[in-house]
Amino acid sequence: MLKRGARMCELFGVSSSVPVRVTYSLHAFAEHGGHLHPNKSGWGIAYHEGRDALLIKEPEPASDSPWVRFIESRPLTSTTILAHVRYATAGKPSFANTHPFIRELGGQMHLFAHNGGFEGIWSAMPLKTGLYRPVGETDSEHAFCVLLERLAGLWQGRDEPPPLADRLAVVAATAAELRKLGASNFLYSDGEALFVHAHKRHWDEGNGRFSEARPPGLSIAARRDLAVRGLKVEVPRDHPDVLYVASVPLTGEGWVPLPEGTVLALLDGREIGRVEA
């Protein structure tokens, strides 16, 4: 049986048609997934802003972080937000190993955060071009580099993002390979669309005991404001479209578990593409 905290990272994502305002308390948010272990391995949150992105992350517990206090006291706004609380399973706690990861492709910053673990990914899915190489030691960052390597041809020589159907096909095909190597829930943003892959995760069975990985790995909700312990999302009054994705449902209603192997493409708070295993 897994020890408390093993392979139990938490993911949270937002896709909205207008910028939303997020206040985020990392330690409190992590408790939604049953994470009471004091030795969190790191945390990060990223905000897209046009072609660029703001990334704030640390390889330390969030309890005493001045960056966390900054996020709590000065909420930032964006239409696409990714957040991650990490428990290290591959790679030591370090800045380079902390999610989300960020890279440039096609003149836009791309973001990636993952929950799970990929057994033997380095040999099963080797990097072939050298265009993207991991900075850290994690299987997650290696998977991100593989994905970007496969997407690079679509973006080459373009001033606009490639057709979404083409991007979704590459993401879905890569996700299918990753599922063979282990639990693979991830959020990937290319500056226009937010891609969501739901697989399976370890669920709290009580008394510090966790199950073997099983679906659902992620849940999704369409709602307006969101206010729970550790997280507050404020949406403008003009009732824009907003979708939330999280490792576990954050409120008692409105959340839909995503079937195992589902890949979604979200744009401006709406689902515009889906591939199911």
Side-chain angles (χ1 to χ4, degrees), residues 16 46 69-70 96 106 120 128 130 136 149 159 172 183 191 231 244 248 273:
S16 174
R69 292 196 294 273
F70 171 81
K128 298 179 180 179
E149 193 175 70
D159 294 326
L231 177 69
Y244 302 101
V248 296

Side-chain angles (χ1 to χ4, degrees), residues 182-264:
S184 173
N185 308 292
F186 65 75
L187 304 177
Y188 159 61
S189 172
D190 62 12
E192 184 191 53
L194 174 61
F195 297 90
V196 176
H197 177 233
H199 189 207
K200 53 189 177 182
R201 72 191 298 274
H202 301 284
W203 286 86
D204 189 352
E205 304 283 33
N207 300 318
R209 297 170 64 84
F210 286 84
S211 70
E212 292 302 314
R214 66 172 187 260
L218 291 169
S219 295
I220 191 167
R223 52 186 301 141
R224 195 169 179 272
D225 294 340
L226 179 64
V228 297
R229 176 172 170 79
L231 177 69
K232 182 178 181 182
V233 182
E234 299 173 74
V235 177
R237 293 184 176 275
D238 55 356
H239 299 284
D241 295 315
V242 185
L243 287 172
Y244 302 101
V245 181
S247 295
V248 296
L250 301 178
T251 57
E253 58 184 21
W255 291 85
V256 178
L258 292 173
E260 181 178 352
T262 299
V263 180
L264 304 180

